[in-house]
Amino acid sequence: MCGIIGYIGNQNKKETIINGLRELEYRGYDSAGMAILQNDDLKVFRAVGKLTNLESTIINAKLHDEVFCGYGLAIGHTRWATHGSPTEINAHPHIGTQSALVHNGIIENYKELKQELESQGVVFSSQTDTEVIVHLFESYAKNYTAQEAFSKTIQRLIGSYAILLITKLEPNKIFYAKQHSPLMIGVCSKQHDEHKGGAIFFASSDAALIGLVDKVVYLQDGNCGEIDMYGFQNLHNIQPFYANKISAQKEGYRFFMEKEIYEQESILLETMMGRVSEDGIILDELDSDFFERFRSIAICACGTSHHSALVGKYLIERKARVRVTTHIASEFRYAKPVLEKDELFIAISQSGETADTLQALKLAKDEGLITLAICNVDNSAMVRLADYSLLTRAGIEKGVASTKAFATQVMVLWIFSVLLGIKRKRINEIGIKSEIKAMLNAQKATKVQAQIHDKIKRLSRRYLHGHGFFFIGRDIFYPLALEGALKLKEISYLHAEGYPSGEMKHGPIALADSELFTLALMPKNLLYNKNKSNVEEIIARDSTICAITPLDFDLADDVVKIPNYQSYMEEFFAMMVILQLLALEIAVRLNRDVDMPRNLAKSVTVE
Ligand code: M6R
């Protein structure tokens, strides 16, 4: 949640911070701000709404360019509001009399700290939890050095944080601290001389540093300190940083989400590379005794990742005959879950930083369970914490509505389920061959066909009104229905729900009328007739039906036909693409902000 950027150097600080924030804006865009400390002058700019508003605020201040050029420090922030509404006064940086601070995360004990500071006469201007940090620092700084004051401040904080602070008391240094919220420091070694310096960057995510740095340090929980232009070499765990800029651009697509839908075909090949071939299935990351170490599996995740967890349950139970329970991470944590020592705990997450899932993973680990993270981001908190990890290899996903991350999670779970089935002797040679064939074909099934996309563009105009959408399916097509409904509501703001087809008659069918749209997932290779009966029950109540199926189905108002595949997994991946495109095109027609839908953020690092 929120994005942080920091900079020490000679470049134009306004441009550097704005460019960095632009890469992070997808994480939160309720407000944005920056602070620049240069020649003993601390300037702060803040604005509600998107980054363009911050740019206008700075332009309206009519400052000379020299204010932003020459050696100095700068910090920036793009916010997704948690404590305090999205107003300018609540925007970061928060300021004291001579310091400014940006923060990601939540300070849980901020009320006590605020009371303490107010009793000393400190006046607060915002409703945020963050503001206490800068005042606490300045309060300590009355009696201690800036270093000591910062360290004492951090020791008082309970909660999660990535913090950058600049202060006139130490005008050459950025102070930083990290706990349960990502933060990294980077340097471009070609331009950086150990003695003469160059430029130091901070960011809360890789995306902001692409093309700027070639060495990074991913800060660890508990890291706290200060750095000047020359301090990078003294840090521990310096790593090369290879990411390139092109992968972070839209490449001619209208939206990142659209690009990411189209990318799925090639991305899934990446996911399978070295894991799936005509010769067999391998997961190098899991050693030979891994598969013997558990009797059952618990999978935990949020949102879209939870939908892939549900798909995983069907696949693992069917293919390996191992019992699987699935959990929504935010529920799991406080439900006093019964965890068995011989249970494998799988956390699924695109970002690897989602607070609810991360805390659930910690809980499972503390209970002594063997843990596996299925994750898209190497070096993320979950990957570092889990005993084992399987990377989904989706590349940077920028659209807030997850698409390729979901596809790759399902693929990894499928590979895992088959491998587990092989190890547990539930799948024979013929079975392995047919799974491999289906995997290779399923990847191809995600190729977006121009005529299908055109059809969905046309179809979308008929699905803009009504009082709601039901997405229905059976078996693995039920979590796909949940995912289709989530995509639609996230980016179009229309009301949509996913249901198992057979469950409609137990209540939800009461809503059926011609103004209710039902998206029916009707694969040929899995429970077609059962599904068809359920769909006919809804048709009899006059609901408008859009069927997605390879077969003719005259009773539907609209049919989006998929090819005649041989396996239900190919059908699954083909239908997934159709649901993603449908949500996209409906949102476009409604003129919604597809990549940055309201109220959402890409990575939810608060509880
Ligand atoms: O990074 P994660 O996979 O842990 O994120 C979990 C959810 O917040 C995420 O999947 C969310 O539901 C997406 N916006 C869905 O499109």
Side-chain angles (χ1 to χ4, degrees):
M1 234 66 173
C2 310
I4 281 186
I5 184 99
Y7 175 73
I8 309 175
N10 290 300
Q11 289 172 21
N12 183 314
K13 273 153 279 305
K14 176 184 73 182
E15 281 168 19
T16 308
I17 295 295
I18 293 281
N19 290 343
L21 290 180
R22 193 164 287 123
E23 298 298 333
L24 299 175
E25 200 182 8
Y26 68 103
R27 295 178 69 98
Y29 34 84
D30 292 337
S31 60
M34 73 162 81
I36 297 174
L37 177 57
Q38 196 162 311
N39 302 326
D40 205 34
D41 184 25
L42 182 62
K43 289 217 165 355
V44 178
F45 308 92
R46 297 185 291 202
V48 176
K50 292 202 174 158
L51 208 47
T52 46
N53 298 351
L54 177 64
E55 290 180 274
S56 309
T57 302
I58 299 173
I59 291 168
N60 294 340
K62 295 196 168 61
L63 299 169
H64 289 297
D65 251 8
E66 297 89 73
V67 173
F68 304 105
C69 300
Y71 175 77
L73 315 174
I75 54 177
H77 189 268
T78 174
R79 178 169 187 248
W80 187 83
T82 54
H83 290 68
S85 50
T87 59
E88 188 178 324
I89 209 72
N90 287 333
H92 299 217
H94 287 282
I95 47 174
T97 52
Q98 43 198 351
S99 320
L101 172 138
V102 291
H103 162 228
N104 276 0
I106 289 181
I107 304 304
E108 289 172 5
N109 59 334
Y110 84 100
K111 284 196 178 134
E112 295 96 279
L113 295 171
K114 192 169 177 176
Q115 269 171 11
E116 181 184 313
L117 288 160
E118 280 174 336
S119 70
Q120 293 168 18
V122 175
V123 178
F124 281 77
S125 49
S126 78
Q127 291 97 46
T128 65
D129 52 334
T130 300
E131 196 184 345
V132 293
I133 312 171
V134 68
H135 293 311
L136 195 57
F137 167 77
E138 294 202 337
S139 163
Y140 279 124
K142 288 178 190 151
N143 302 312
Y144 297 95
T145 65
Q147 284 80 358
E148 289 164 343
F150 188 69
S151 157
K152 283 187 179 296
T153 302
I154 299 304
Q155 283 167 28
R156 298 286 310 279
L157 305 180
I158 299 174
S160 60
Y161 46 83
I163 291 171
L164 297 181
L165 176 139
I166 54 179
T167 176
K168 287 186 187 176
L169 301 170
E170 278 285 2
N172 295 322
K173 291 177 174 169
I174 291 187
F175 290 77
Y176 60 86
K178 180 210 177 302
Q179 184 72 10
H180 305 318
S181 209
L183 187 62
M184 58 199 283
I185 309 179
V187 75
C188 177
S189 52
K190 284 182 217 104
Q191 294 163 17
H192 199 88
D193 183 296
E194 206 177 314
H195 305 293
K196 295 193 200 115
I200 300 270
F201 292 85
F202 284 86
S204 51
S205 153
D206 286 11
L209 298 189
I210 291 170
L212 296 175
V213 305
D214 58 5
K215 283 186 183 163
V216 292
V217 171
Y218 293 95
L219 294 172
Q220 305 295 312
D221 282 349
N223 282 169
C224 165
E226 72 282 343
I227 191 168
D228 64 11
M229 185 105 117
Y230 315 101
F232 188 78
Q233 299 309 326
N234 305 330
L235 297 171
H236 298 294
N237 299 324
I238 297 175
Q239 298 181 20
F241 185 70
Y242 299 114
N244 71 59
K245 191 120 192 160
I246 295 160
S247 60
Q249 306 293 340
K250 281 190 215 160
E251 291 169 9
Y253 290 99
R254 295 169 295 170
F255 310 99
F256 281 111
M257 182 186 177
E258 185 178 37
K259 171 178 166 258
E260 287 156 7
I261 294 170
Y262 272 75
E263 263 175 9
Q264 292 177 116
E265 187 205 2
S266 61
I267 291 286
L268 283 171
L269 264 188
E270 288 271 335
T271 306
M272 290 194 281
M273 202 169 290
R275 293 167 168 170
V276 182
S277 71
E278 308 274 335
D279 301 331
I281 292 189
I282 308 167
L283 286 173
D284 271 339
E285 300 89 334
L286 306 178
D287 49 43
S288 50
D289 46 322
F290 168 86
F291 293 94
E292 302 308 319
R293 292 179 62 189
F294 54 89
R295 281 164 58 86
S296 60
I297 298 176
I299 315 182
C300 197
C302 302
T304 287
S305 298
H306 177 252
H307 298 156
S308 45
L310 294 171
V311 178
K313 174 183 164 70
Y314 282 102
L315 294 177
I316 294 168
E317 294 200 334
R318 177 167 294 139
K319 294 179 194 303
R321 309 301 299 149
V322 172
R323 186 166 53 78
V324 180
T325 53
T326 56
H327 307 269
I328 291 176
S330 56
E331 284 298 305
F332 178 82
R333 216 179 140 189
Y334 299 107
K336 299 223 176 307
V338 179
L339 297 170
E340 308 287 349
K341 290 275 183 250
D342 56 2
E343 194 159 43
L344 169 67
F345 184 89
I346 303 181
I348 305 180
S349 173
Q350 187 285 125
S351 61
E353 305 288 349
T354 302
D356 290 320
T357 314
L358 183 59
Q359 295 308 326
L361 176 61
K362 279 189 183 144
L363 193 150
K365 210 169 167 192
D366 290 347
E367 293 286 318
L369 272 72
I370 165 175
T371 55
L372 167 68
I374 296 182
C375 190
N376 190 32
V377 182
D378 198 2
N379 261 309
S380 59
M382 285 183 221
V383 169
R384 292 197 301 266
L385 182 67
D387 301 314
Y388 295 87
S389 57
L390 291 172
L391 293 179
T392 51
R393 306 178 185 163
I396 292 175
E397 189 180 62
K398 289 195 133 191
V400 165
S402 188
T403 51
K404 61 178 181 170
F406 175 72
T408 55
Q409 287 167 350
V410 172
M411 181 56 84
V412 167
L413 285 159
W414 184 10
I415 297 170
F416 177 84
S417 69
V418 173
L419 192 57
L420 185 59
I422 297 169
K423 302 280 182 194
R424 298 282 168 105
K425 307 212 175 340
R426 296 288 184 170
I427 304 183
N428 61 21
E429 279 305 316
I430 298 170
I432 300 172
K433 290 242 164 340
S434 93
E435 293 287 351
I436 292 172
K437 189 170 161 215
M439 282 176 192
L440 297 170
N441 289 341
Q443 170 262 326
K444 295 189 190 105
T446 59
K447 183 177 173 62
V448 180
Q449 304 294 342
Q451 76 275 20
I452 288 271
H453 196 165
D454 283 348
K455 173 161 185 148
I456 292 170
K457 276 185 188 160
R458 285 197 311 280
L459 202 63
S460 60
R461 65 170 181 254
R462 307 200 352 215
Y463 290 88
L464 304 175
H465 59 286
H467 60 74
F469 286 75
F470 276 127
F471 286 67
I472 60 167
R474 277 176 173 260
D475 203 282
I476 55 164
F477 294 86
Y478 158 51
L480 183 59
L482 290 173
E483 177 60 8
L486 179 64
K487 286 294 83 89
L488 185 66
K489 59 186 144 190
E490 277 186 299
I491 60 169
S492 72
Y493 319 147
L494 295 171
H495 184 234
E497 297 303 331
Y499 265 97
S501 310
E503 183 67 10
M504 291 293 286
K505 59 184 174 294
H506 298 290
I509 203 167
L511 293 175
D513 62 20
S514 59
E515 292 296 290
L516 177 90
F517 301 134
T518 301
L519 270 293
L521 306 182
M522 302 174 70
K524 179 194 77 177
N525 294 298
L526 197 64
L527 302 168
Y528 180 79
N529 286 325
K530 296 275 172 219
N531 225 336
K532 185 162 165 270
S533 310
N534 299 140
V535 176
E536 283 168 3
E537 287 155 15
I538 303 167
I539 290 171
R541 273 79 185 176
D542 210 20
S543 167
T544 301
I545 301 280
C546 176
I548 307 176
T549 178
L551 303 176
D552 293 331
F553 186 53
D554 293 340
L555 292 175
D557 299 273
D558 289 302
V559 176
V560 181
K561 273 215 163 185
I562 60 164
N564 200 358
Y565 293 113
Q566 295 310 304
S567 72
Y568 63 83
M569 287 306 286
E570 289 161 77
E571 295 180 305
F572 177 96
F573 279 98
M575 289 186 191
M576 173 196 76
V577 172
I578 288 166
L579 294 180
Q580 294 166 342
L581 289 172
L582 188 67
L584 173 79
E585 294 306 337
I586 290 176
V588 171
R589 283 194 184 273
L590 293 171
N591 211 12
R592 307 297 194 223
D593 190 341
V594 169
D595 284 330
M596 290 189 220
R598 71 183 183 202
N599 304 340
L600 298 178
K602 183 67 188 163
S603 181
V604 187
T605 51
V606 292
E607 252 193 286

